[in-house]
Amino acid sequence: MKTEVNALILAGGRSRRMGTDKASLMLEGQTLLQRTAGVVAPHASQVYLSVAKGGQRETSLPVIEDLETNPGPLGGLQAAFAQQPEKPWLLVACDLPLLDDMTLDTLLRENDERKPATAFRNRLDGRAEPLCAIYKPSAANALNDYLSRNKRCARGFLESLEPTLLDLPSPLALDNANRPEHLNELTSLARDGMREKTVTISYYGKLSSEVPATPEAVTTTAATLAGLYEEQRLTLGLSLDLDVVKPVINDAFTDWTTPLPDQAEVAFLPPFAGG
Amino acid sequence: MPPTMFSLTTSPIIPSDLLSTIPESCGGVVTFEGRVRNHHQGREVLKLEYSAHPVLAESEGEQVMVDALARFPEVTLARAVHRHGTHNLGDIAVLVIVASSHRAEAFEACRWIIDEIKHRVPIWKNEFYRDGTSEWTGCEGCRHAH
């Protein structure tokens, strides 16, 4: 049986990396926020938009204001429980461009009533994904306690609840688009499908000390260089974000949106430090 | 094909080798030596290890020199050498030589070239400290300049 939930869409924070408000980022003629609300609506009794304390946002959705200034995503959930403590909440980030019906169906159908939360495993590192998850009323006290200890990490909180964890039915559904390069990666994958490629990757400078010594062939389904780097960053635990790294294909500088060819020789260059 | 203006080497850099090629029309020659110093942010440095992207360091370095001549047309000659591999204290890691009729543009072009090399040429520096640790350093503060 499907659980009846309210949905809370998170769009409160400003996106530093997009250089713009990521909720208003356009995808196929809609903002990411409009798209997310459209996907979520059939699965929830009511969809709310989480907004900053005193924040303004043009929306037709009912809003729930944070109780504190800049409390992070968990602050949105706290405000939702404060308003409706008896309902389970489906907490959803607005920056999941490939979120789909099948994913939400699975989450609501597989929800275990006895657990305080139900969530998916991240497709790359297997850890719990906090921003497309169901939080039951039994999680509300733990949340207040967590926030009162000045903790803010949504993933840390979810893991502390020992949630039911599910495998993603559509692997890309929870890949988030923090940056334009990642949105491009995801739209490329959605358009062209996930195709397997074999590439070799060389790392230089600081990155070279964080990976196995010899470059080895890597099998990937990434569509662009941004997707490949993100995949490697998460699986190898690389310390540098894409914004300070330069990508190289076949010994030529290129940019992150470049489609990844099969058999490519890729290099990732950290900030230069010659002289 | 014009002579190579930028080169990479693993051998010690000897400035006099390059200075012997200055044309007699040049009244001003500016030389910059980047040397390995014994400290970094308060830590005692014992040696450095430079590494470079083998293809792009040469091509991008050459492009810096081409850009320099376009930007400073009065410059008669510009050369740069960057060394990679292990360096001891006092070793020259990079040498830039600019020659022109008069000193002003030589000073200006030399400064411009070394700054561009640091920003654009894919070379990295691993510093080894007295306390036995090592760290990749150099560009944390200028990430937005790239």
Side-chain angles (χ1 to χ4, degrees), chain A residues 221-232:
Chain A
T221 51
T224 67
L225 281 166
L228 179 66
Y229 186 74
E230 193 63 4
E231 191 181 281
Q232 296 300 308

Side-chain angles (χ1 to χ4, degrees), chain A residues 16 204-209 241 243-244 246 248 251-253 267-275, chain B residues 50-56 60 82 94 118-125 136-139 143 146:
Chain A
R16 180 177 56 83
Y204 287 87
K206 182 177 169 49
L207 292 175
S208 68
S209 62
D241 245 351
D243 59 340
V244 297
K246 278 187 195 301
V248 166
D251 289 336
F253 287 117
F268 293 125
L269 314 185
F272 308 154
Chain B
Y50 281 93
S51 61
H53 187 286
V55 176
L56 281 172
E60 191 63 18
H82 205 301
V94 59
K118 281 172 168 279
H119 282 119
R120 288 168 51 184
V121 180
I123 293 175
W124 300 273
K125 179 165 63 176
W136 294 91
T137 59
C139 225
R143 51 195 275 170
H146 294 287

Side-chain angles (χ1 to χ4, degrees), chain A residues 73-74 127 130 146-147 150-159:
Chain A
L74 290 176
R127 290 182 60 193
Y146 190 81
L147 291 171
N150 279 326
K151 292 182 155 184
R152 295 163 53 94
C153 172
R155 186 176 247 186
F157 172 64
L158 175 59
E159 287 178 337

Side-chain angles (χ1 to χ4, degrees), chain A residues 42-107:
Chain A
H43 300 276
S45 319
Q46 178 67 54
V47 180
Y48 294 86
L49 181 65
S50 169
V51 297
K53 187 181 182 183
Q56 300 277 319
R57 190 176 280 279
E58 267 185 44
T59 176
S60 55
L61 297 171
V63 301
I64 295 180
E65 259 191 50
D66 288 344
L67 306 175
E68 313 282 339
T69 305
N70 199 20
L74 290 176
L77 182 62
Q78 182 186 39
F81 274 131
Q83 198 170 101
Q84 296 192 39
E86 308 304 326
K87 273 271 196 179
W89 284 90
L90 167 62
L91 189 65
V92 182
C94 73
D95 62 348
L96 310 174
L98 303 184
L99 182 66
D100 59 4
D101 279 323
M102 184 161 48
T103 302
L104 295 177
D105 252 342
T106 303
L107 185 64

Side-chain angles (χ1 to χ4, degrees), chain B:
Chain B
M1 181 152 161
T4 308
M5 293 184 280
F6 179 93
S7 57
L8 278 179
T9 181
T10 52
S11 315
I13 295 173
I14 301 163
S16 58
D17 290 355
L18 271 83
L19 287 163
S20 64
T21 61
I22 306 295
E24 288 175 346
S25 63
C26 296
V29 180
V30 173
T31 301
F32 173 80
E33 294 177 7
R35 291 183 173 216
V36 177
R37 65 168 178 259
N38 65 1
H39 62 95
H40 177 73
Q41 292 178 349
R43 304 173 74 181
E44 192 179 346
V45 176
L46 297 183
K47 63 168 186 166
L48 296 185
E49 195 90 48
Y50 281 93
S51 61
H53 187 286
V55 176
L56 281 172
E58 296 230 320
S59 60
E60 191 63 18
E62 191 65 19
Q63 192 56 49
V64 167
M65 308 309 282
V66 169
D67 293 351
L69 293 188
R71 191 181 177 96
F72 302 97
E74 305 89 349
V75 165
T76 310
L77 176 146
R79 296 280 184 273
V81 187
H82 205 301
R83 187 177 162 196
H84 59 114
T86 303
H87 290 56
N88 295 312
L89 299 180
D91 283 358
I92 300 176
V94 59
L95 174 70
V96 181
I97 289 174
V98 177
S100 61
S101 295
H102 306 285
R103 68 185 180 282
E105 56 268 26
F107 272 114
E108 213 183 325
C110 187
R111 173 67 190 258
W112 188 86
I113 288 168
I114 185 61
D115 287 348
E116 291 294 297
I117 287 173
K118 281 172 168 279
H119 282 119
R120 288 168 51 184
V121 180
I123 293 175
W124 300 273
K125 179 165 63 176
N126 199 3
E127 289 187 334
F128 294 80
Y129 305 105
R130 165 76 65 196
D131 63 13
T133 61
S134 69
E135 211 165 286
W136 294 91
T137 59
C139 225
E140 300 87 350
C142 62
R143 51 195 275 170
H144 298 298
H146 294 287

